[in-house]
């Protein structure tokens, strides 16, 4: 099936006795058993559900849906994107192991690996994944994982997934790619050879800024290990959040098509504004746009604080990917936890603005952003 069809019809609920059109919300903490033999059957692999931290029909549906869209055999849902990342990493590495990670990861991911995982005895080296020689040079005897993003946050570098896979195979490593910005609508890393693909489903999968969720997909063995980490760490997603995420995912293709096309138009328009020093957008990937994020660098003469005050109907938020256009300031939000020297090396300065393009008319978005830029002088 084409993407637009599979996002709606991939899950088969024919095993339910009551044939509701939409999967019900299984808002329960536990599942009942008729006797001890039936309870024991669960532990013998003959039952589906025991306790919602361990598994629930709604969270299973979400994991299976995104796995199907990514072309992966299995998927599991978690309480947030970072929970899904953590479960994926811990499914591969343990104390004494080493990770080679892209130096331009999302700030929350960077902080998780550098500050939290190192306390567990896990080593990490951050290098520019744009330079394969530096990536390979960072690989050590105890390296187990290569970790990057398909489109990086916030400067929108498109990862060379084939090169990541080549290096991983050469050195017998596992690969993990965050596909949040691209979504499976634009990119399917698993089909390119990536082992684990993670999404902050809070963003485009859910799509409406009303849930917090994460999804990890890959082969059955790795996902089984990752799911075990989610269970043991209590990082499970609630049934209602999973249900809302599945509902939002039904319009993923429509939203991404409109938002990406808008983003390309906005990026081209902002290139013409003399008070915008640089526009980051993957222009060479997809004729109708490749993702819905546009990042700009305001001129040195522009007052970034005034720019944010002049945004009118465009909301200022610390996140992205809703149906409404919004703007954030990476230096003080998503990448706040990064050391100042790291931000400077990456080019994340005070003048950098990340714009999450919505489904509004592109002309209205362009007019409002240009007005805010021009009034920031």
């Amino acid at each position: 099936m084409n993407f637009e069809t599979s996002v709606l019809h991939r899950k088969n609920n024919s095993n339910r006795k009551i044939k509701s059109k939409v999967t019900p919300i299984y808002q329960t903490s536990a599942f009942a058993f008729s006797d001890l033999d039936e309870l024991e059957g669960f532990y013998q692999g003959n039952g589906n559900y025991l306790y919602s931290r361990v598994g629930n029909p709604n969270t299973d549906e979400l994991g299976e849906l995104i796995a199907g869209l990514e072309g992966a055999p299995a998927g599991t849902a978690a309480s947030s994107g970072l929970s899904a990342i953590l479960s994926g990493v811990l499914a591969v590495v343990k104390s004494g192991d080493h990770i080679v990670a892209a130096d331009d990861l999302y700030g929350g991911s960077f902080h998780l690996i550098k500050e939290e995982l190192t306390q567990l005895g896990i080593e990490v080296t951050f290098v520019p994944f744009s330079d394969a020689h530096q990536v390979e040079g960072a690989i050590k005897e105890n390296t187990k994982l290569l970790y990057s993003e398909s489109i990086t946050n916030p400067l929108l570098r498109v990862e060379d997934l084939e090169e990541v896979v080549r290096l991983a195979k050469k050195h017998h490593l596992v690969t993990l790619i965050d596909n949040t910005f691209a979504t499976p609508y634009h990119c399917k890393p698993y089909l390119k050879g990536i082992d684990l693909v993670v999404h902050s489903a809070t963003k485009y999968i859910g799509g409406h800024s009303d849930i917090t969720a994460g999804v990890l997909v890959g082969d059955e063995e790795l996902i089984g290990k990752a799911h075990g980490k989610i269970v043991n760490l209590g990082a499970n997603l609630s049934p209602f959040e999973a249900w809302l995420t599945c509902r939002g995912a039904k319009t993923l293709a429509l939203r991404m098509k409109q938002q990406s096309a808008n983003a390309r138009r906005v990026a081209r328009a902002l290139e013409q504004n003399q008070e915008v020093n640089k526009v980051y957008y993957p222009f060479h990937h997809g004729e109708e746009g490749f993702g819905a994020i546009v990042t700009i660098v305001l001129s040195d003469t522009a007052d970034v604080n005034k720019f944010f005050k002049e945004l009118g109907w465009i909301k200022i938020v610390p996140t992205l990917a809703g149906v409404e256009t919004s703007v954030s300031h990476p230096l003080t939000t998503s990448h706040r936890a990064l050391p100042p020297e790291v931000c400077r090396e990456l080019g994340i300065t005070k003048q950098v603005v990340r714009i999450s393009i919505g489904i509004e008319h592109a002309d209205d978005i362009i007019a409002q952003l240009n007005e805010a830029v021009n009034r920031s002088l």
Side-chain angles (χ1 to χ4, degrees), residues 316-337:
I316 304 168
V317 298
T319 186
L320 55 101
V323 292
E324 305 158 309
T325 296
S326 62
V327 172
S328 68
H329 192 234
L331 191 64
T332 55
T333 56
S334 61
H335 289 69
R336 188 184 188 93

Side-chain angles (χ1 to χ4, degrees), residues 92-103:
V92 179
V93 302
K94 62 183 185 305
S95 180
D97 290 338
H98 176 246
I99 301 169
V100 178
D103 64 350

Side-chain angles (χ1 to χ4, degrees), residues 191-208:
L191 296 183
K192 295 180 179 291
I194 296 297
D195 298 298
L196 290 168
V197 181
V198 68
H199 289 271
S200 174
T202 311
K203 311 303 192 299
Y204 293 107
I205 302 297
H208 293 79

Side-chain angles (χ1 to χ4, degrees), residues 267-341:
R268 287 300 187 198
L270 290 176
E271 283 186 319
Q272 306 306 311
N273 192 310
Q274 294 183 352
E275 297 306 320
V276 176
N277 277 355
K278 188 169 185 177
V279 173
Y280 291 95
Y281 190 75
F283 288 112
H284 302 297
H285 300 266
E287 294 181 0
E288 298 299 321
F290 194 73
I293 301 295
V294 177
T295 299
I296 63 174
V297 182
L298 293 172
S299 69
D300 293 337
T301 57
D303 184 333
V304 69
N305 295 317
K306 193 172 182 182
F307 167 81
F308 277 92
K309 289 180 180 179
E310 298 292 343
L311 283 169
W313 54 265
I314 297 178
K315 294 180 174 66
I316 304 168
V317 298
T319 186
L320 55 101
V323 292
E324 305 158 309
T325 296
S326 62
V327 172
S328 68
H329 192 234
L331 191 64
T332 55
T333 56
S334 61
H335 289 69
R336 188 184 188 93
L338 267 64
E341 63 275 13

Side-chain angles (χ1 to χ4, degrees), residues 243-254:
W243 184 87
L244 281 174
T245 309
C246 287
R247 183 180 71 166
K250 292 178 180 179
T251 59
L252 176 60
L254 295 174

